[in-house]
Amino acid sequence: MRSDRLRLLDAVEQIDLICTFSGAGREVFFDDILTQSAVLHRLALLGEACGGLSPQLREAHPEIP
């Protein structure tokens, strides 16, 4: 099982990649299916990373939804 630290690092990596892929702007995003696919894939991986965080970490930080 991956530690919370590794999962949070995974989440940060996915966020950085999403920012990189979508950095050209909204119009480019909506006009480019490859960019859309890349961002959606990274969002799924971000969800997996965050979804695997321990209940202890979640309870320690109730201010974060």
Side-chain angles (χ1 to χ4, degrees), residues 25-51:
R26 182 183 181 97
E27 190 171 313
V28 172
F29 176 81
F30 284 115
D31 288 340
D32 185 2
I33 189 76
L34 189 60
T35 301
Q36 292 174 29
S37 296
V39 169
L40 290 174
H41 176 68
R42 294 302 170 166
L43 285 170
L45 294 176
L46 175 60
E48 287 180 22
C50 293

Side-chain angles (χ1 to χ4, degrees), residues 6-19 38-53 58:
L6 289 176
R7 288 191 178 277
L8 290 171
L9 288 172
D10 287 345
V12 170
E13 179 181 13
Q14 299 315 315
I15 292 167
D16 286 344
L17 287 168
I18 290 166
C19 290
V39 169
L40 290 174
H41 176 68
R42 294 302 170 166
L43 285 170
L45 294 176
L46 175 60
E48 287 180 22
C50 293
L53 293 171
R58 292 171 190 262

